Amino acid sequence: MSQQGEELDLRELDDEELVKQIQDDLYDGLKDEVEEGVRILLERGWQPYRVLTEALVEGMRIVGVDFRDGILFVPEVLLAANAMKGGMAILRPLLAETGAPPIGKMVIGTVKGDIHDIGKNLVAMMMEGAGFEVIDLGINCDVDKFLAALEQHRPQILGMSALLTTTMPYMKVVIDTLVERGIRDDYIVLVGGAPLNEAFAEAIGADAYCRDAAVAVETAKALMAKRHNRLAAGA
Amino acid sequence: MTEPTPSVAILACGALAREIGALLAQSGLAQVELVCAPAILHNRPERIPAVVDAKLAELRARGFRRIFVAYADCGTGGELDRVLERHGVERIRGPHCYAFYRGVEAFLAEAERDPATFYLTDYLVRHFDSLIVRGLGLDRHPELLPVYFGNYQRLVHLAQVDDAELLDMGRRAAQFLGLRHEYRWVGYGELAAFVERAVRSSADGRTDHRLLAGHSGTGDRAGGTADGSPRARPAIPRSHRSRRDARAAHRNRRLSRRVAKGDTGSVRG
């Protein structure tokens, strides 16, 4: 039994308590503790995917909700994301070993003229956590870069991010180019970024506006299912 | 019968208070009241439209017939404009204060040429510690510096006044962020003309339809002060404090249960 004032020993917790503790540690941005908790669950025979979804993704979902509600602020979210990244770094190779196919593929990037990638990185991480393969093009991506990546990787989803009022119109340039080339309907186009909203997404011809990373995941899954059903019905 | 001179207000971001105050003082007229919203909203632009909405309603209730809004879009993605449209009020043009200080067209051209630029005005230089360092949590978590600023290459200080101390503070800010420092004295830029129009409107009682409120006020009111003193309003309510407390209490209960089970003696996080 631990003594007063000693560090909490994660190994003393049962599975349920440990998962909750990992979620708490993730909430508090404690990367080392999250990594330790992930390793313990794996040692106890948990499947990597279960650790990912029940401990990390669920923990990050709570962070997202509290951010949306104004309880957490950007620094706390970034620390939590960093902690999750630590856990995912352990799980990623193990997940790859299982050979489970990704549930979908996404190409994502911050649009031309914009170098902000915090939101885009969060979306990429959460999408990966949800089982998507994510090809991250980085920042300041022009239409040619997006098109080349779509051609090369053949994703189902194209994600575009912008933080600036001055750069968000570039999303329309990309979508218009897809239309011109007759490939717009080949992709689910998701857009996000602080100054965007649903009306803007609709106006530029995107499929959806995602106000945060958790919404991006849910929207991606829902639109993938819808697309799948449509294709099945048409087959 | 001569109609009394209508009163004029400028509703501004607190980050512009000093500069607008100086411009109003230069005009020597006391027919324009300056009302400011908290500058900290710079870090939470999604909250600006609601705050401006409330303040416009307040000003209208107080009888101001003409209201100038000294906010750029400020990252609201057009939401602020929708609020202003509802009130029949217009704002100074531009995406950010950096843009109207620099000159909107020149700013946009430069931003396109070199997007990896972090801009500071005199206000942001003065309040760098509170708005940037503490506001972004960099005092507590310096490890986040590359997350926030890793993609930037230079800091451009667009100066409103020629002040050696501010120049030095800007240099130190750039050093803190690990960015190349550039200093440019741009003065008040397009803000000067904007304030001048408000003052002129106050003086001659005419409406500049490019910029002014189209609504009819509840009555005329002699102008307030133009001494540049911002009328800071309370920050937006933090109604979610109880949620945070609830979560902490929940966590404490869970850890208390653990302590009761005798499996731990310490509480982390």
Side-chain angles (χ1 to χ4, degrees), chain B residues 30-43:
Chain B
Q31 296 295 325
V32 178
E33 178 159 326
L34 174 60
V35 175
C36 292
I40 191 70
L41 292 171
H42 176 79
N43 284 359

Side-chain angles (χ1 to χ4, degrees), chain A residues 152-168:
Chain A
Q152 182 187 347
H153 299 286
R154 304 272 172 198
Q156 293 87 11
I157 302 169
L158 167 63
M160 290 188 283
S161 172
L163 182 76
L164 303 174
T165 305
T166 48
T167 57
M168 59 192 232

Side-chain angles (χ1 to χ4, degrees), chain B residues 41-62:
Chain B
L41 292 171
H42 176 79
N43 284 359
R44 299 302 297 261
E46 75 279 8
R47 295 182 177 174
I48 292 173
V51 172
V52 168
D53 192 16
K55 287 202 175 291
L56 285 172
E58 205 177 286
L59 289 171
R60 183 181 279 180
R62 286 178 55 197

Side-chain angles (χ1 to χ4, degrees), chain A residues 47-172:
Chain A
Q47 291 302 307
Y49 183 72
R50 189 177 170 206
V51 179
L52 177 68
T53 52
E54 293 185 24
L56 300 186
V57 172
E58 175 57 16
M60 206 60 199
R61 189 191 65 78
I62 297 167
V63 170
V65 169
D66 280 5
F67 175 67
R68 198 183 304 158
D69 291 349
I71 296 167
L72 289 182
F73 297 93
V74 172
E76 288 85 16
V77 174
L78 293 178
L79 291 166
N82 190 44
M84 179 165 174
K85 246 160 84 176
M88 282 184 68
I90 297 168
L91 296 174
R92 195 175 288 115
L94 302 174
L95 288 163
E97 275 174 22
T98 64
I103 63 172
K105 202 189 274 190
M106 177 190 220
V107 160
I108 189 169
T110 302
V111 298
K112 186 184 169 190
D114 206 321
I115 58 156
H116 300 94
D117 59 3
I118 289 175
K120 185 261 297 168
N121 292 345
L122 283 171
V123 170
M125 189 177 69
M126 289 296 279
M127 290 290 286
E128 195 185 344
F132 286 86
E133 181 184 348
V134 178
I135 295 101
D136 187 346
L137 303 181
I139 56 172
N140 198 18
C141 300
D142 63 16
V143 64
D144 291 337
K145 191 169 184 178
F146 279 116
L147 289 174
L150 294 177
E151 170 96 27
Q152 182 187 347
H153 299 286
R154 304 272 172 198
Q156 293 87 11
I157 302 169
L158 167 63
M160 290 188 283
S161 172
L163 182 76
L164 303 174
T165 305
T166 48
T167 57
M168 59 192 232
Y170 194 79
M171 293 174 173
K172 186 170 186 316

Side-chain angles (χ1 to χ4, degrees), chain A residues 29-41:
Chain A
L30 302 172
K31 185 182 178 192
D32 292 346
E33 285 79 355
V34 168
E35 289 173 346
E36 186 189 352
V38 165
R39 286 197 190 93
I40 294 170
L41 286 177

